[in-house]
């Protein structure tokens, strides 16, 4: 592992305690608010951006795509250049994207800003998750994702009414408030042991193949033939490349680990289920119940906040429960949630399904990510975490598209 210089070891004061888990949570979680903020205000955003409503939905799609492909890219930057540089690049990218998005006179430029904002946010998430170090601390981060993601639509609606239609698109920049504290922690030397060696060159070919495959998978729900065929065609050269570069962008140790593969697949399935239900629930409730739109929105918010809070309790007690019991609980509830949503004829069951879905998605992200990353050598863990989060983010991109195809059309 890389170490600080001898001089710095002599002059820098030894840290007395670990960085509070609230700082990594603040660094990561606001991006969930930014992702969900446009849900209720797309018509207002469309007017502000000067485009039809259907084109305004690209602000959601581009954000999800940039988060998905940005996650492994910034994880690679952590692996090759360490947490400090990754934090700086992520901060600059997030800030530049937010400013561009807020001031852009053209819709195309606004989309560029939205993509940069999401990619920078993915980098901040990569830093936060590499600083977690334990299931309990990872649980604080993922619970923050769930809570701030749950309030995203409400925050977006309030900001659009009181400030302006573009204001909700900037809320993910709140993560920058945590940057000074996290940067001091990294510079203090306490995080130096988490800084990987620079002995291997960046695997540009592997990165390009992963980005291309992730992009194809994001498009697959709306263009299944093109997206599916492209992803399948890319799988072969990617597999061959992993064999040639076992320590490259996709660590062979992660691909060969059954535990890692199963954990990543479960993260994708649980995330897809949650995001599908998140976007479909208001319409399902409108069709199947007599609740008003306000009651549905309030109930959904309460359900998502409850599920997110319970997911932190799961992460905090996972050590005592044991991995097998935690996994059994997640799989059981992860199976029950979509089945309940399909069969539900009343709002209470739909809301219970939503609470279970967010509990499983955020809880599995905490429990499985730490367990999965431990299946690879320490120097490759940043890359493994990036691939795991990539699978989770794919669910965030695929889920809304599935909801649109199955319920919202």
């Amino acid at each position: 592992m890389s170490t600080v210089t001898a001089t710095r070891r002599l002059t820098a004061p030894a840290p007395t305690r670990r960085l509070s888990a609230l700082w990594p949570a603040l660094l990561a979680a606001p991006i969930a608010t930014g992702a969900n903020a446009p849900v209720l205000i797309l018509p207002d955003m469309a007017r502000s951006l000067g485009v039809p409503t259907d084109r305004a939905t690209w602000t959601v799609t581009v954000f999800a795509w940039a988060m998905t492909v940005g996650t492994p890219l910034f994880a690679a930057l952590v692996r090759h250049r360490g947490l400090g540089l990754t934090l700086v690049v992520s901060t600059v990218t997030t800030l530049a994207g937010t400013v561009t998005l807020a001031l852009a006179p053209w819709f195309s430029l606004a989309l560029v800003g939205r993509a940069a904002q999401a990619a920078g946010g993915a980098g901040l998430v990569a830093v936060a998750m590499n600083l977690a170090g334990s299931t309990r601390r990872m649980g604080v981060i993922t619970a923050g994702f769930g809570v701030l993601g749950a309030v995203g639509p409400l925050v977006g609606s309030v900001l659009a009414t009181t400030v302006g239609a573009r204001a909700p698109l900037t809320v993910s920049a709140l993560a920058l408030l945590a940057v000074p504290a996290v940067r001091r922690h990294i510079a203090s030397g306490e995080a130096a042991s988490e800084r990987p060696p620079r002995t291997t060159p960046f695997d540009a070919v592997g990165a390009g193949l992963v980005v291309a495959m992730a992009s194809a998978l994001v498009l697959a729900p709306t263009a299944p033939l093109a997206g599916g065929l492209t992803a399948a065609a890319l799988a072969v050269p990617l597999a061959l490349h992993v064999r040639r570069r076992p320590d490259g962008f996709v660590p062979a140790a992660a691909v060969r680990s059954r535990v890692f593969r199963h954990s990543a697949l479960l993260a994708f399935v649980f995330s897809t289920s949650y995001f599908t239900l998140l976007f479909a629930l208001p319409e399902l409730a409108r069709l199947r119940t007599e609740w008003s739109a306000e009651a549905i929105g309030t109930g959904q918010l309460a359900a998502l906040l409850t599920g997110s809070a319970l997911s932190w309790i799961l992460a905090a007690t996972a050590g005592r429960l044991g991995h097998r019991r935690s996994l059994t609980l997640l799989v059981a509830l992860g199976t029950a949630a979509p089945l309940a949503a399909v069969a539900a004829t009343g709002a209470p069951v739909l809301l219970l399904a939503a609470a279970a879905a967010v509990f499983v998605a955020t809880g599995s992200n905490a429990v499985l990510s730490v367990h999965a990353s431990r299946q690879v050598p320490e120097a490759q863990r940043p890359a493994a975490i990036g691939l795991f989060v990539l699978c989770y983010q794919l669910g965030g991109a695929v889920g809304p598209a599935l909801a649109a195809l199955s319920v919202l059309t």
Side-chain angles (χ1 to χ4, degrees):
M1 283 293 172
S2 297
T3 57
V4 292
T5 63
T7 302
R8 186 168 179 182
R9 283 192 182 278
L10 292 172
T11 59
T16 58
R17 60 187 177 87
R18 299 179 70 187
L19 179 70
S20 167
L22 295 178
W23 289 117
L26 178 58
L27 190 70
I31 198 167
T33 310
N36 294 345
V39 169
L40 300 177
I41 58 167
L42 281 174
D44 295 330
M45 282 175 43
R47 285 191 292 272
S48 174
L49 294 168
V51 295
T53 301
D54 59 343
R55 285 192 65 196
T57 60
W58 276 99
T59 59
V60 178
T61 303
V62 164
F63 194 91
W65 169 80
M67 271 288 290
T68 301
V69 301
T71 295
L73 291 175
F74 276 99
L77 187 59
V78 172
R79 178 183 175 188
H80 289 277
R81 293 293 182 265
L83 294 172
L85 181 61
T86 305
L87 181 66
V88 172
V89 175
S90 303
T91 299
V92 171
T93 305
T94 301
L95 185 59
T98 301
V99 172
T100 300
L101 181 58
L103 303 178
W106 310 294
F107 180 65
S108 57
L109 185 58
L111 288 182
V112 171
R114 183 76 165 154
Q117 182 189 55
L124 298 177
V125 172
V127 172
M129 296 188 75
N130 276 279
L131 287 172
S134 70
T135 301
R136 182 189 296 267
R137 288 165 64 85
M138 191 72 80
V140 176
I141 296 173
T142 57
F145 261 98
V147 170
L148 293 191
V151 302
L154 176 62
V155 169
S157 179
V158 171
L159 286 177
T161 302
T162 58
V163 181
R166 292 201 193 192
L169 300 178
T170 66
V171 294
S172 60
L174 290 173
L176 300 182
L177 295 175
V179 168
V182 173
R183 189 169 183 227
R184 283 195 300 271
H185 169 72
I186 295 172
S188 72
E190 182 176 334
S193 61
E194 299 169 19
R195 185 171 180 174
R198 305 182 185 183
T199 55
T200 57
F202 177 67
D203 180 11
V205 174
L209 288 170
V210 170
V211 168
M213 176 174 281
S215 302
L217 291 173
V218 168
L219 293 175
T222 53
L225 186 59
L229 289 177
T230 301
L234 290 168
V236 175
L238 179 59
L240 294 174
H241 182 74
V242 170
R243 293 189 64 181
R244 286 194 301 268
R245 287 287 304 271
D247 60 343
F249 191 81
V250 179
V255 176
R256 293 167 182 165
S257 168
R258 183 172 59 88
V259 172
F260 184 90
R261 294 196 308 270
H262 288 179
S263 298
L265 178 61
L266 282 175
F268 169 71
V269 172
F270 292 152
S271 175
T272 301
S273 175
Y274 162 55
F275 281 102
T276 302
L277 189 54
L278 174 68
F279 281 81
L281 189 143
E283 182 65 13
L284 290 175
R286 186 186 69 80
L287 294 173
R288 299 179 185 179
T289 74
E290 309 236 345
W291 284 26
S292 66
E294 292 77 10
I296 293 169
T298 302
Q300 184 178 21
L301 176 61
L304 296 180
L305 290 175
T306 301
S308 299
L310 291 175
S311 73
W312 180 82
I313 296 176
L314 172 65
T317 59
R320 292 193 294 273
L321 280 176
H323 182 73
R324 185 177 295 275
R325 290 179 180 176
S326 300
L327 183 60
T328 300
L329 176 63
L330 290 169
V331 171
L333 289 178
T335 303
L339 293 177
V342 170
T345 57
V349 177
L350 280 173
L351 295 178
L352 282 174
V358 70
F359 168 81
V360 170
T362 55
S364 66
N365 204 4
V367 173
L368 297 179
S369 62
V370 174
H371 188 66
S373 66
R374 289 173 179 165
Q375 309 307 310
V376 303
E378 186 175 355
Q380 296 178 344
R381 284 180 187 172
I385 291 174
L387 292 175
F388 180 91
V389 178
L390 165 64
C391 293
Y392 181 87
Q393 295 295 349
L394 273 175
V398 171
L402 292 179
L405 291 172
S406 59
V407 176
L408 303 179
T409 55

